[in-house]
Amino acid sequence: AEVKKSLLEMLPSLNFTLSPKYDSTKYLYNQTWWDAGAVVSQNIVKLFSAPTTMKAAKAQIGVDDVRRQAVSMAVMVQTNLAYQRYGLAKKEYTVARHLDHISNQLNKQIAAEHIAGTANELDAIKSMTNVLIAKMRHYHSYAELQNSVGRIYNTLGVDMLPTQIESD
């Protein structure tokens, strides 16, 4: 389109004019009349700069091609990074879920020992604290997993918000 635009700018221009005229002098035979004309013009400077203009337009085509390739590569890299983050978040979630399960099992065992009188109260409190920390890590890793899925959708251009939000 830029090359065609450059070519069209080099063509001669043709202008038509048509306008009503009026003169208040009372000695004229007709005080109102129409003026019409046509003008053809050519910009000589543009004609001599045609080769340079064409080279610049063709170079712009090359620049646009490289720009499109760069944007495509950026999207591919961003998608790959989002996928890699998803894989890491998934592994972290699996570990955190397993740790939460183990903490719950240990807490049950220590609570049973505390009831039986073989474990002290401090161990029971530490065990309950570890359960809370493991649960917090579990929920945090789940949130990171969901966030990484959102990054993938965002990279691919998927809009997860509804098109219309209903108000009550």
Side-chain angles (χ1 to χ4, degrees), residues 49 72 103 110 121 124 135 145:
S49 66
S72 297
S103 293
I110 290 175
E121 189 174 349
K135 192 162 291 301
L145 181 65

Side-chain angles (χ1 to χ4, degrees), residues 65-109:
D65 251 357
V66 170
R67 186 176 293 138
R68 273 192 295 277
Q69 288 175 356
V71 168
S72 297
M73 287 302 294
V75 168
M76 287 172 50
V77 167
Q78 188 177 6
T79 305
N80 187 24
L81 283 175
Y83 180 73
Q84 295 297 328
R85 285 180 182 167
Y86 171 75
L88 289 173
K90 189 175 177 182
K91 287 179 184 176
E92 286 179 19
Y93 173 72
T94 303
V95 169
R97 187 181 64 194
H98 188 65
L99 181 64
D100 185 28
H101 178 72
I102 291 171
S103 293
N104 283 329
Q105 295 298 326
L106 285 173
N107 186 40
K108 286 179 186 177
Q109 183 178 356

